[in-house]
Amino acid sequence: MGIVSTVLGFFGFGFGTFLGLLIGYYLFIYTQSSDVKDPDIRPLVEQDTTTLEQMLTEIPLWVKNPDYDRVDWLNRFIEKMWPYLDKAICRTVREIVKPIIAEQIPKYKIDSVEFEELTLGSLPPVFQGMKVYSTDEKELIMELLMKWAGNPNITVAAKAFGLKATVQVVDLQVFAAPRITLKPLVPTFPCFAKIYVSLMEKPHVDFGLKLFGADAMSIPGLYTFVQELIKDQVANMYLWPKALEVQILDPAKAMRKPVGILTVKVLRALKLEKKDLIGSSDPYVKLKLADDNLPSKNTTVKPKNLNPEWNEEFSFLVKDPETQILDVKVYDWEKVGNHDKMGVNAVQLKDLAPDEPKVMTLDLLKSIDPNDARNEKSRGQIVMEMLYKPFDEEMTNKFGDPSMVEKAPEGAPPDGGLLVVIIHEAQDVEGKYHTNPFVRLLFKGEERKTKRMKKNRDPRWEEEFQFMLEEPPTNDKLQVEVISSSSRMGLLHPKETLGHVVINLSDVVSNKRINEKYHLIDSKNGRLQVEMQWRASSS
């Protein structure tokens, strides 16, 4: 009887459960309102920000922020190149990590740690936007938003005490906002010497971790702990203003930084040619270092003298002693018209032994061309003493730092110094009749000019001017004017002003260096980039 009641009870429970579910289903279906409300359809422009973000969770950054540009071209490029980038990046990682591991494992009594598998998978990262900053320094700054949901296979094996443990990273996701700075920009391919990588915010990193084949992230509390640990460690190392620095080129060679100083003492000239009608000449010497944008350095004029003595000394910064040449030219000064060239010659710096003075007697030639038959004629000689003194490594590195300001040269007034003005470039300058701009500097009654750039609204000069002063120019002003001169000889509109600016020099004295873009007065959109340095004698 007990068995029969048990069987009947079992069937009764099953039948009752089935019947209850069936009745509940029909009640749920037939008690719902048949009056369906029409959905609220409105244009996207009428939606508020919160609703839009809920509807479109993956809005690209270039849509939300107009400062960011689309980089579809970059994503397509990376997609095509990813199989090759994967191998190159993994090879570089192995080369970087291998010596680090070899240095660290003896401390923990581990026999070896190596990659069994290292591949970034088939899915490349995606960049959702890029912002480029414009600065007055020689650098390029880019900010990107990167999202990478990859399928890498990274397996690391460690051996110790005869045992082997493997750790595998899978299902990696990285969301980051890196700032990439390329600086300094140099005239050597790839046109930048270093890459600096910073993170503008803590990155989001998510991944699976398999230990001995089991999912280690399923351990309660470990997932959150590892994520926060990685975020904090990465932020401590690379969160802006901290940065990862990667050197691409040797800055000293790429920037052609000065590596030494050449001292030239012009002693005398012998048996010069007679250029004047009265049977004499008024000679002076012009010296210029090849591949140097600075103007030539001239001796004084010795009137009516065919065997002049100068004993004047000049200094030049040397950037490449193996290839640079010192051009030597002797001219006859004329009060009216062009000065007559009396002779030329050149000295290769590689012929000078470092730190050893050398007195040289050079024949004056018609031209530097050794095959020129006119060089056989005697035009006199010039005697000079030359000394090339290389910088030590510390001094060479200082010249690569744009924030470093040199001291005033020897011979500067003890209470004064040297004011250096560098005219870099102008933008959006335009004349009414012509646009052939040059810059005129006016300081304490002294006028300096850059060369004229023909038909150029965005000229670049990169010319340097120096003013030796008896005292700091704390209360002085520098007048800078951009002028366009006609390229044709004519009486109508030979010159026209494109804009000007007056710069107070007190800030230059206090800050030692200023590099700014100034909006030109009387110009619609014109700007002029001027760098100024104050090199004090007592600094």
Side-chain angles (χ1 to χ4, degrees):
M1 197 63 185
I3 295 175
V4 175
S5 62
T6 300
V7 173
L8 291 175
F10 175 77
F11 279 103
F13 174 78
F15 179 75
T17 302
F18 172 75
L19 184 62
L21 291 175
L22 184 63
I23 294 172
Y25 172 75
Y26 277 98
L27 288 175
F28 176 78
I29 293 297
Y30 289 102
T31 57
Q32 295 293 323
S33 174
S34 59
D35 185 16
V36 179
K37 187 178 180 180
D38 293 334
D40 183 16
I41 302 176
R42 290 187 297 167
L44 289 178
V45 293
E46 298 180 4
Q47 305 288 348
D48 56 60
T49 303
T50 304
T51 305
L52 283 174
E53 290 182 350
Q54 291 175 351
M55 296 171 60
L56 306 171
T57 56
E58 292 295 330
I59 301 177
L61 197 59
W62 55 267
V63 175
K64 297 185 290 186
N65 192 331
D67 289 341
Y68 282 80
D69 297 321
R70 296 181 65 174
V71 285
D72 294 343
W73 63 270
L74 179 60
N75 292 323
R76 288 195 292 268
F77 172 79
I78 294 177
E79 182 181 3
K80 295 293 184 182
M81 293 292 295
W82 185 246
Y84 310 99
L85 291 172
D86 176 19
K87 294 178 181 179
I89 293 172
C90 291
R91 186 184 305 113
T92 304
V93 170
R94 288 179 185 271
E95 294 173 355
I96 294 175
V97 172
K98 188 174 181 179
I100 297 176
I101 293 176
E103 181 182 354
Q104 296 295 325
I105 58 176
K107 300 178 182 179
Y108 304 99
K109 298 182 180 180
I110 299 175
D111 297 334
S112 66
V113 176
E114 58 184 15
F115 289 103
E116 285 191 346
E117 295 287 342
L118 179 58
T119 175
L120 300 181
S122 59
L123 301 176
V126 175
F127 293 93
Q128 293 199 331
M130 179 171 65
K131 180 179 181 180
V132 179
Y133 287 89
S134 177
T135 70
D136 295 335
E137 303 297 335
K138 295 181 179 179
E139 63 183 4
L140 176 63
I141 301 176
M142 300 173 289
E143 285 186 8
L144 302 103
L145 180 63
M146 183 193 75
K147 292 189 175 183
W148 182 34
N151 55 345
N153 183 10
I154 305 173
T155 304
V156 180
K159 296 180 181 179
F161 306 107
L163 301 175
K164 178 181 177 181
T166 60
V167 178
Q168 184 180 14
V169 178
V170 294
D171 300 330
L172 179 64
Q173 293 185 5
V174 179
F175 301 160
R179 168 179 284 188
I180 301 175
T181 304
L182 309 179
K183 73 174 185 180
L185 301 180
V186 297
T188 305
F189 190 80
C191 300
F192 54 89
K194 293 182 180 181
I195 301 176
Y196 297 85
V197 182
S198 301
L199 296 175
M200 303 311 294
E201 58 187 34
K202 287 186 177 182
H204 169 77
V205 182
D206 189 8
F207 59 91
L209 193 64
K210 290 185 177 181
L211 183 62
F212 299 107
D215 187 4
M217 288 303 184
S218 62
I219 300 174
L222 181 62
Y223 176 78
T224 304
F225 172 76
V226 171
Q227 268 210 337
E228 293 301 320
L229 179 64
I230 291 176
K231 286 183 180 180
D232 293 339
Q233 291 297 323
V234 173
N236 289 337
M237 292 188 294
Y238 304 123
L239 192 64
W240 191 85
K242 297 180 181 178
L244 170 66
E245 178 181 331
V246 181
Q247 181 169 312
I248 304 300
L249 300 172
D250 182 359
K253 296 180 179 179
M255 295 181 64
R256 292 179 60 85
K257 292 190 288 186
V259 296
I261 189 167
L262 174 68
T263 302
V264 181
K265 189 173 184 179
V266 181
L267 300 177
R268 66 187 73 88
L270 305 171
K271 301 178 181 179
L272 297 179
E273 281 189 302
K274 302 175 182 178
K275 290 289 185 178
D276 296 339
L277 296 176
I278 59 175
S280 186
S281 295
D282 307 317
Y284 70 94
V285 182
K286 180 180 289 188
L287 304 174
K288 181 173 176 59
L289 202 57
D291 298 330
D292 194 340
N293 294 327
L294 296 178
S296 303
K297 298 187 177 183
N298 303 342
T299 66
T300 56
V301 178
K302 298 296 182 181
K304 299 179 183 179
N305 198 332
L306 299 180
N307 296 281
E309 291 196 12
W310 285 282
N311 293 312
E312 297 180 19
E313 189 172 294
F314 305 91
S315 296
F316 300 86
L317 290 175
V318 178
K319 297 178 180 179
D320 188 355
E322 293 298 318
T323 61
Q324 283 190 288
I325 298 173
L326 178 69
D327 292 325
V328 182
K329 299 178 181 179
V330 181
Y331 285 87
D332 174 40
W333 183 84
E334 296 291 347
K335 189 173 183 179
V336 179
N338 296 329
H339 299 179
D340 296 327
K341 185 187 296 184
M342 303 181 69
V344 300
N345 210 318
V347 179
Q348 297 187 6
L349 301 193
K350 65 181 181 180
D351 296 335
L352 301 176
D355 297 316
E356 294 184 9
K358 184 176 183 179
V359 177
M360 307 181 71
T361 301
L362 305 176
D363 292 327
L364 295 176
L365 309 174
K366 179 64 177 179
S367 71
I368 301 298
D369 184 4
N371 299 320
D372 193 339
R374 295 174 297 175
N375 289 338
E376 297 178 1
K377 179 182 177 182
S378 176
R379 290 176 170 81
Q381 296 177 319
I382 184 169
V383 183
M384 301 186 303
E385 181 180 350
M386 306 180 68
L387 172 64
Y388 171 60
K389 189 175 182 60
F391 292 144
D392 55 23
E393 184 176 356
E394 179 181 359
M395 181 62 70
T396 301
N397 291 334
K398 282 184 178 180
F399 276 99
D401 184 2
S403 63
M404 191 274 296
V405 176
E406 307 170 42
K407 289 185 178 180
E410 295 183 7
D415 297 327
L418 185 69
L419 175 66
V420 179
V421 180
I422 304 174
I423 305 297
H424 287 292
E425 62 179 352
Q427 295 177 344
D428 295 329
V429 292
E430 186 171 6
K432 185 176 181 181
Y433 304 101
H434 42 72
T435 305
N436 306 306
F438 68 91
V439 177
R440 185 182 72 163
L441 305 178
L442 189 61
F443 179 66
K444 289 192 170 183
E446 190 173 352
E447 184 183 72
R448 303 286 181 86
K449 296 180 181 180
T450 67
K451 59 179 179 289
R452 184 169 64 97
M453 309 294 284
K454 293 184 179 180
K455 299 180 180 180
N456 198 331
R457 296 178 67 250
D458 302 300
R460 177 181 290 270
W461 289 282
E462 301 294 346
E463 294 190 32
E464 178 179 310
F465 303 93
Q466 299 181 352
F467 301 89
M468 192 71 70
L469 305 178
E470 297 288 340
E471 59 183 8
T474 306
N475 300 317
D476 294 320
K477 295 181 180 180
L478 174 69
Q479 297 183 32
V480 185
E481 186 177 11
V482 182
I483 303 173
S484 174
S485 61
S486 176
S487 57
R488 302 173 182 175
M489 296 298 293
L491 298 178
L492 293 176
H493 316 297
K495 288 185 179 181
E496 109 180 73
T497 299
L498 306 183
H500 69 279
V501 64
V502 179
I503 303 174
N504 196 323
L505 299 179
S506 58
D507 289 341
V508 183
V509 177
S510 58
N511 296 321
K512 303 299 183 185
R513 175 181 179 267
I514 288 181
N515 186 8
E516 293 186 2
K517 284 185 178 178
Y518 297 91
H519 289 273
L520 294 172
I521 302 173
D522 296 334
S523 175
K524 185 176 181 181
N525 298 311
R527 299 183 305 278
L528 179 67
Q529 182 180 352
V530 182
E531 179 181 349
M532 292 169 288
Q533 300 177 12
W534 170 243
R535 303 175 184 176
S537 301
S538 57
S539 60

